[in-house]
Amino acid sequence: MNIARRQVWRPSLPRTADSTPLLGWLRDRGSLTARIRSRGRFAVRVLRQGLGIPTADEARLLGLDPGVHAWVREVALSCNEQIVVFAHTVLPRRPRGPLTVWLSRLGERSLGALLFAHAGFTRGPMAFHRLDRRHALFTAAWAALQLAEQSPATLWARRSRFDLGGQSVLVSEVFSPRLAQLPEPGKESWTNGKPVL
């Protein structure tokens, strides 16, 4: 299999030893923010926000010419003070609309909370990818997730496009293996001998 073929995002998610613990998370079309919140204390930390150049495939999905700047936002999502997801969002500069305003004012809030609270949004198909060091998002995701050196050399990710009126935003989410260890909703997690509620 050549390198270009291995770098393609796919509509189906293979069941492998490293994807199986995360299947429920990767395939869920509901709000990732809400699902993480149901497991514990949720927090967002903005890592980068401003103009940037999307990857070639991101530009193609959003109808942009290669090399054209877009709004890029990268955040780390935490549960109970452990980073579990790296999210990378790309929004074209034109046309301007409510998404442009929302993204500029989000701060330390989750874009997902807005996306799923607005009835006018539609979510396109999800695509999946096992990222490795050759992928443009891998280095930023690895650093954001604060994984130990002995962690796997690949990370599972998903992405989908959200549309509202004439605007589209592409959201890619890279999942930490820690996500599979979060407690089920309603069950307490223990840290230092005390329950984390």
Side-chain angles (χ1 to χ4, degrees):
M1 184 182 293
N2 65 36
I3 290 174
R5 185 169 172 82
R6 286 196 298 260
Q7 296 302 315
V8 173
W9 291 77
R10 302 191 177 281
S12 60
L13 181 63
R15 185 180 289 272
T16 62
D18 61 339
S19 72
T20 298
L22 296 170
L23 286 178
W25 290 93
L26 286 161
R27 291 180 175 161
D28 188 353
R29 289 184 59 84
S31 168
L32 180 61
T33 297
R35 189 165 184 186
I36 294 173
R37 275 193 173 124
S38 74
R39 265 61 172 186
R41 290 188 312 276
F42 176 78
V44 177
R45 182 165 55 93
V46 178
L47 304 170
R48 176 169 78 110
Q49 182 165 325
L51 290 175
I53 297 177
T55 64
D57 64 323
E58 288 173 338
R60 187 175 57 254
L61 282 171
L62 290 167
L64 298 172
D65 291 329
V68 170
H69 281 85
W71 297 110
V72 177
R73 174 178 160 95
E74 293 180 343
V75 300
L77 308 181
S78 299
C79 185
N80 297 332
E81 300 178 13
Q82 286 205 17
I83 299 169
V84 291
V85 175
F86 167 77
H88 171 84
T89 300
V90 180
L91 173 68
R93 293 168 66 191
R94 301 281 184 269
R96 289 182 60 84
L99 279 175
T100 310
V101 176
W102 291 354
L103 200 67
S104 68
R105 296 180 180 170
L106 268 179
E108 302 287 322
R109 291 177 294 153
S110 163
L111 177 61
L114 282 176
L115 293 175
F116 284 92
H118 198 289
F121 271 104
T122 57
R123 183 179 199 168
M126 288 197 293
F128 308 94
H129 193 26
R130 180 194 272 142
L131 307 183
D132 62 25
R133 295 186 188 281
R134 294 167 297 188
H135 195 277
L137 292 181
F138 183 86
T139 300
W142 186 272
L145 295 172
Q146 299 176 3
L147 295 169
E149 287 298 321
Q150 67 272 20
S151 296
T154 59
L155 297 168
W156 277 101
R158 69 178 189 181
R159 74 177 179 194
S160 53
R161 195 176 85 184
F162 292 84
D163 298 309
L164 175 63
Q167 286 193 287
S168 298
V169 60
L170 185 65
V171 180
S172 302
E173 296 153 333
V174 184
F175 291 30
S176 168
R178 293 185 199 106
L179 200 57
Q181 299 164 6
L182 292 183
E184 290 299 316
K187 293 184 180 176
E188 292 180 342
S189 174
W190 291 79
T191 302
N192 298 327
K194 297 180 181 178
V196 174
L197 304 175

